[in-house]
Amino acid sequence: MVICDLKKILYIVTAVLLCSCEIIREEDRLIPVPIPDTGGRTHVLIEYTGVRCVNCPKAAEMAEQLHATYGEKLIVVAMHPASNPFTQSIYDYTCPEADVYYKYMGGTASTSFPTGNIDFAKQPDGYLSDYLQWPALLASAMKEDTHLSLSCSAQLSPEKDKIHVSAEVFSIMEGQYRLAFWMTEDSVIGLQAMPDNTVNKEYCHMHMLRTTGEEVWGMPVHLTPRATSYTGTLVLPKECVPAHCHVIALLMDEEKKIVTAKQCVVN
């Protein structure tokens, strides 16, 4: 008798539930929005260098080894700040924006080269670090992830004097950031002092910062849980070869630390 009573109760509950279920029209149903895969955070290694710095080629080799290790998770940018005498040469590779970043990190005319930084992050002893510290600092930074997804594309203008940049940002959290655009150039052949105290007249300079957008620290952006598109324009320096150039989109937090970045070729 108990079993029969339980069956009756089950039938009654099932009938009530079926009757109380409302049929929702297809057009009124919630459709899940796919969240882009952030793919993890991309880090930026900034290498302060100069043509008169004999040990800078060693730092460049270190940067290339790290790039080979981490692939697309690492973007290398070589900066030649004018305020350091190691950059002074008949070849002017200096970039005004590089000097802004360099001075912000405490760089002076007496700062020893090579030196560098990862993600504009400040360490206990300051922003700048010796190139032999980069592997450990980068390994630690690689443990950090992000909730942001960033993509970019770059198009050369018909006049070949400007680069039009588009970036799309997706965030799963709301927040204030800054979006900056940089342009680097590879395969720049010129002078370089070498570790054996010789001068290489055919040295190949890579990842050289050439220019940035008008706002050196980027434009303020307010991100919400959705994809947002932004555009910008970079003025191409006359001496640059577009086929050797890359554009980098960088997202920084309110403390100017780079939280992720994306690099693309110029089409």
Side-chain angles (χ1 to χ4, degrees):
M1 293 294 294
V2 175
I3 295 176
C4 292
D5 290 341
L6 288 176
K7 286 184 178 180
K8 289 180 181 180
I9 294 172
L10 180 60
Y11 290 148
I12 293 171
V13 171
T14 303
V16 171
L17 289 174
L18 289 174
C19 293
S20 63
C21 290
E22 180 183 354
I23 298 176
I24 302 175
R25 295 178 303 170
E26 185 174 350
E27 59 269 23
D28 293 333
R29 296 174 186 171
L30 292 176
I31 301 174
V33 178
I35 298 176
D37 181 8
T38 61
R41 181 175 175 177
T42 299
H43 298 269
V44 179
L45 169 58
I46 298 160
E47 172 195 353
Y48 289 112
T49 185
V51 296
R52 296 176 58 189
C53 168
V54 296
N55 286 318
C56 284
K58 292 182 179 180
E61 289 180 8
M62 174 71 77
E64 291 298 336
Q65 290 172 9
L66 291 170
H67 185 260
T69 299
Y70 292 106
E72 293 184 356
K73 296 297 181 185
L74 178 65
I75 298 172
V76 177
V77 181
M79 297 191 184
H80 296 243
S83 58
N84 192 293
F86 284 115
T87 65
Q88 297 171 9
S89 166
I90 58 173
Y91 288 84
D92 187 8
Y93 297 142
T94 61
C95 175
E97 295 87 346
D99 224 38
V100 173
Y101 301 133
Y102 180 66
K103 291 178 179 177
Y104 171 79
M105 294 183 190
T108 67
S110 59
T111 299
S112 297
F113 272 18
T115 190
N117 173 272
I118 296 171
D119 296 331
F120 285 169
K122 188 176 183 180
Q123 304 300 325
D125 56 350
Y127 284 96
L128 300 176
S129 57
D130 183 85
Y131 76 99
L132 295 176
Q133 295 177 289
W134 296 349
L137 291 174
L138 191 54
S140 177
M142 284 289 171
K143 298 176 183 178
E144 302 174 9
D145 210 338
T146 181
H147 60 271
L148 299 161
S149 173
L150 176 63
S151 63
C152 72
S153 61
Q155 186 73 41
L156 185 66
S157 67
E159 298 79 16
K160 301 185 185 304
D161 61 344
K162 295 181 179 66
I163 297 174
H164 301 295
V165 188
S166 297
E168 185 174 78
V169 186
F170 184 91
S171 173
I172 63 174
M173 297 176 63
E174 188 170 355
Q176 291 293 129
Y177 295 89
R178 303 193 72 86
L179 177 63
F181 297 125
W182 293 355
M183 192 203 79
T184 61
E185 185 178 13
D186 289 337
S187 304
V188 180
I189 306 301
L191 296 174
Q192 177 62 52
M194 302 301 290
D196 60 0
N197 290 317
T198 62
V199 175
N200 185 348
K201 297 180 180 180
E202 299 295 324
Y203 187 84
C204 184
H205 296 272
M206 300 292 288
H207 320 296
M208 186 184 295
L209 182 68
R210 286 301 204 177
T211 189
T212 72
E214 288 186 12
E215 298 183 66
V216 179
W217 291 105
M219 67 180 84
V221 295
H222 180 76
L223 300 182
T224 57
R226 62 184 178 88
T228 309
S229 297
Y230 300 92
T231 59
T233 301
L234 298 170
V235 177
L236 186 71
K238 293 181 179 179
E239 67 273 15
C240 292
V241 179
H244 295 168
C245 294
H246 290 81
V247 167
I248 305 169
L250 307 102
L251 269 175
M252 307 178 196
D253 62 20
E254 293 185 283
E255 296 180 354
K256 298 180 180 178
K257 181 181 178 181
I258 298 171
V259 292
T260 195
K262 191 70 175 182
Q263 182 172 264
C264 63
V265 297
V266 178
N267 296 311

